[in-house]
Amino acid sequence: MLAFGFGLAQGSLTLYTSEVLGDVNALVEAFRKENPGVEVKVFRSGTGEVVAKLRAELEAGNPQPDLIWFANPEYFRELSGKGLLRRVPPTVPGYPVQYAYEGGRYYEVRLLYNVIAVNTQRLREERPRLWRDLARPAYRGLLAMPDPNFSGAALITLGTLTGRFGFGYFEALRANGLAIEQSNPVLQQKLARGEYALALTTDFGVRQEAAKGAPLATLYPQDGAILVPTPIGVTSWSRNPTLAERFLRFLLSPTAQALFAERGYYPVMPGAPRPKGAPERVVALPGTPADEGTLRRFNELFGLRR
């Protein structure tokens, strides 16, 4: 059985991630308290930019990260298929093994959902209950979502809802005035200020803004919130793979799982606390990224450049 604190660690790690920087920094600081001889360097941007940076480094023959963590499961599968991810056996007691993809090549370490968020001051009544409700005339000009070229979670929203309803769903939202913002954090701040009444966005971010006093509520659609795969993996070229594995396993520890809950995420480990105000059970749709053809159609529909 593997313990979480094993031996004195030394050295440095580089993490490439699309996760919220404040959340990542909190986890890094907790890890360093248990491993004071370790330095963790973080590069953070949107999923699209992180993937582009890593692709360029691989083409140049000089990839840098020891760990990668972002919302693009297809790229993880691509890297795994090329033998570029290190297998970490799923030996943490109680861990749900369905989240140790390809036998432990990459892992979910907490769960997040794409939901409908509402500014409760701008929309007091007639709140949507289903994804299709967002195309109703009552919500015309009130809705926004992040750019799927930048946000991996938005790319998964696009793919999942297109797969469920057809691309006509987004054509209907465009006709109803759907606006596009760059990222979830930017969108959530604008939603909090009342620039929008509704948003297709991540649940944890809405809870974080609400905890600061923003008039926001999280609506889990009755036909299913979108479970967004955001895996983390250890790269095959890591200069310090043992330390990278230690960091991954730390994210499954009681300390890290409690931190996730405090910051609005659902922990992945059974028995860990839920985030404050979150429902005990979520009806979930498995998230699927949009393919290139769907993304191209979306960009043409909304006049986005890529």
Side-chain angles (χ1 to χ4, degrees):
M1 184 178 294
L2 180 73
F4 287 105
F6 49 100
L8 181 65
Q10 298 285 334
S12 66
L13 291 173
T14 298
L15 168 67
Y16 281 14
T17 185
S18 66
E19 302 304 300
V20 174
L21 187 58
D23 300 337
V24 172
N25 286 342
L27 291 160
V28 167
E29 183 59 28
F31 177 72
R32 291 190 67 252
K33 283 182 180 178
E34 295 187 7
N35 301 273
V38 174
E39 178 186 12
V40 181
K41 303 172 185 176
V42 177
F43 170 77
R44 190 271 166 195
S45 189
T47 293
E49 292 189 0
V50 175
V51 170
K53 178 177 174 63
L54 182 53
R55 283 191 187 279
E57 290 178 356
L58 285 167
E59 288 175 6
N62 188 32
Q64 296 299 306
D66 300 281
L67 295 130
I68 52 174
W69 186 13
F70 44 74
N72 189 328
E74 301 247 332
Y75 190 48
F76 274 87
R77 284 192 285 273
E78 178 184 330
L79 292 173
S80 179
K82 295 177 179 178
L84 297 178
L85 294 177
R86 181 182 177 89
R87 182 174 179 268
V88 178
T91 57
V92 175
Y95 180 75
V97 293
Q98 69 267 28
Y99 295 128
Y101 303 121
E102 299 190 44
R105 298 288 177 185
Y106 45 108
Y107 280 70
E108 300 292 352
V109 291
R110 46 80 186 122
L111 305 178
L112 69 88
Y113 298 89
N114 276 338
V115 296
I116 302 170
V118 59
N119 183 302
T120 57
Q121 292 180 347
R122 284 206 58 187
L123 193 66
R124 299 179 184 274
E125 300 177 355
E126 293 189 57
R127 295 177 184 171
R129 296 178 300 133
L130 306 170
W131 289 110
R132 284 190 180 276
D133 289 346
L134 297 175
R136 289 168 49 191
Y139 306 129
R140 187 179 303 277
L142 302 181
L143 178 67
M145 68 174 283
D147 184 347
N149 299 285
F150 183 82
S151 165
L155 186 69
I156 288 168
T157 293
L158 173 60
T160 305
L161 295 182
T162 297
R164 190 171 181 83
F165 303 125
F167 191 76
Y169 176 76
F170 284 95
E171 293 173 331
L173 293 188
R174 177 69 181 90
N176 213 30
L178 174 65
I180 308 298
E181 295 289 345
Q182 184 191 45
S183 66
N184 279 293
V186 169
L187 172 56
Q188 289 156 4
Q189 290 163 17
K190 290 189 174 186
L191 183 71
R193 293 197 296 266
E195 295 182 37
Y196 301 108
L198 293 162
L200 288 76
T201 190
T202 53
D203 61 342
F204 75 91
V206 178
R207 279 192 280 270
Q208 288 181 355
E209 292 297 322
K212 301 173 190 175
L216 301 184
T218 304
L219 307 179
Y220 290 84
Q222 293 177 4
D223 49 346
I226 299 169
L227 180 60
V228 179
T230 52
I232 185 170
V234 178
T235 59
S236 64
W237 60 80
S238 171
R239 297 176 180 85
N240 203 336
T242 301
L243 187 57
E245 180 177 332
R246 181 190 288 248
F247 183 81
L248 190 158
R249 293 187 185 278
F250 167 78
L251 296 180
L252 301 176
S253 71
T255 297
Q257 292 290 293
L259 266 174
F260 281 128
E262 288 172 13
R263 303 185 79 87
Y265 301 86
Y266 277 89
V268 73
M269 293 297 291
R274 289 195 313 277
K276 186 177 180 181
E280 182 174 353
R281 180 176 175 272
V282 176
V283 177
L285 299 173
T288 304
D291 59 26
E292 290 186 7
T294 300
L295 182 58
R296 183 169 56 252
R297 291 181 69 186
F298 186 90
N299 289 339
E300 292 171 354
L301 180 64
F302 287 90
L304 302 175
R305 292 184 178 180
R306 191 184 182 196

